[in-house]
């Protein structure tokens, strides 16, 4: 099992789901500094100490490994969810300017839903930023 330390901008936190092993779990996803996605699961969020509890748009550092049970390319598991380090928070100043720059300028932004669905079926992309061409 290869361990890596990841620095992630948390952008997704799922609603807690019940778990027989952990009581309840949260799936978390975020962007690396290079704009690539990482999904971290399982996280028993409510059992974390206050300093370990991260918010959306927090930069965190944690040691993870590729989850062999989850074939999605972005999926990793924390080595020890009690060693999550919250580094800093990205605020909403200037109408979310910093958040927009971090996400829209670093991540691949898809504007073609068919391409995104095709990549998902091929198990190449299961997390993404999607910008619709039209709002109805």
């Amino acid at each position: 099992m290869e361990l890596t330390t990841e620095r992630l901008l948390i952008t997704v936190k799922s609603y807690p789901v019940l778990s027989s092993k952990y009581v309840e779990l949260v799936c978390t996803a975020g962007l690396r500094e290079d704009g690539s996605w990482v999904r971290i699961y399982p996280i028993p969020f409510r059992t974390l100490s206050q300093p370990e509890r991260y918010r959306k748009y927090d930069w965190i550092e944690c040691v993870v490994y590729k989850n062999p049970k989850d074939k999605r390319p972005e999926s990793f598991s924390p080595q020890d969810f009690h060693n999550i380090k919250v580094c800093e928070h990205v605020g909403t100043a200037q109408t979310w300017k910093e958040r927009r720059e971090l996400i829209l300028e670093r991540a691949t932004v898809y504007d073609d839903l068919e391409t995104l669905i095709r990549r998902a079926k091929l198990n190449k992309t299961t997390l993404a930023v999607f910008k619709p061409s039209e709002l109805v």
Side-chain angles (χ1 to χ4, degrees):
M1 166 173 63
E2 181 181 341
L3 299 174
T4 59
T5 300
E6 295 285 0
R7 179 173 161 84
L8 305 171
L9 177 65
I10 300 302
T11 58
V12 178
K13 281 174 57 183
S14 73
Y15 191 79
V17 294
L18 295 177
S19 163
S20 59
K21 184 174 180 181
Y22 296 103
V23 181
E24 68 179 23
L25 296 173
V26 171
C27 180
T28 301
L31 294 167
R32 293 180 178 106
E33 292 179 298
D34 69 2
S36 60
W37 284 94
V38 172
R39 175 186 295 106
I40 306 172
Y41 182 85
I43 301 285
F45 193 76
R46 291 189 208 204
T47 67
L48 298 178
S49 69
Q50 217 43 53
E52 296 164 332
R53 290 190 181 188
Y54 49 86
R55 301 180 290 166
K56 285 175 65 175
Y57 297 100
D58 275 351
W59 280 104
I60 68 164
E61 287 182 1
C62 63
V63 178
V64 297
Y65 62 93
K66 184 70 181 117
N67 186 341
K69 296 178 183 175
D70 190 338
K71 301 301 180 197
R72 296 175 292 183
E74 305 92 351
S75 292
F76 291 82
S77 292
Q79 176 197 25
D80 179 356
F81 38 77
H82 289 294
N83 285 333
I84 294 171
K85 178 183 171 197
V86 178
C87 300
E88 62 191 276
H89 184 72
V90 178
T92 57
Q94 299 177 351
T95 322
W96 289 42
K97 181 179 186 283
E98 188 178 4
R99 290 181 182 186
R100 278 196 321 272
E101 288 173 353
L102 286 167
I103 295 168
L104 299 177
E105 293 179 12
R106 294 184 188 197
T108 300
V109 178
Y110 291 86
D111 57 7
D112 178 10
L113 189 56
E114 290 178 17
T115 299
L116 193 52
I117 291 170
R118 186 172 49 254
R119 290 186 58 80
K121 287 180 179 178
L122 295 170
N123 201 34
K124 293 190 180 288
T125 301
T126 63
L127 290 170
V129 177
F130 178 71
K131 183 178 178 183
S133 59
E134 177 183 11
L135 296 176
V136 179

